[in-house]
Amino acid sequence: YWKTQSGVAGACPYAWTWNVLGWPGVNVPAGFTKAGLPIGAQLLGHDSDEATLISMAAQLEAVEGWAERRA
């Protein structure tokens, strides 16, 4: 168990805490680099607050029009 958790913490040091606690997180598009690669942002919530994150992601999607945008 500890070996697995140490590996995960090393690979994903910021998300690891949320994963262990079971708190929600969502990744959303945040633009593109000059080379055209996508950039993402991670939004993190409190325990049992998935609804807020899903609502925020949906609002951002509506405003930003991610589905229509390409690099």
Side-chain angles (χ1 to χ4, degrees), residues 11-70:
C12 304
Y14 302 109
W16 179 77
T17 306
W18 261 251
N19 289 336
V20 168
L21 293 172
W23 290 6
V26 64
N27 292 317
V28 296
F32 296 94
T33 67
K34 290 180 181 180
L37 298 172
I39 299 172
Q42 183 178 44
L43 308 176
L44 301 171
H46 292 286
D47 184 31
S48 301
D49 199 18
E50 290 88 350
T52 299
L53 288 178
I54 291 169
S55 176
M56 277 177 46
Q59 290 175 51
L60 286 168
E61 182 178 12
V63 170
E64 296 296 326
W66 296 326
E68 294 83 33
R69 293 175 60 185
R70 300 285 187 263

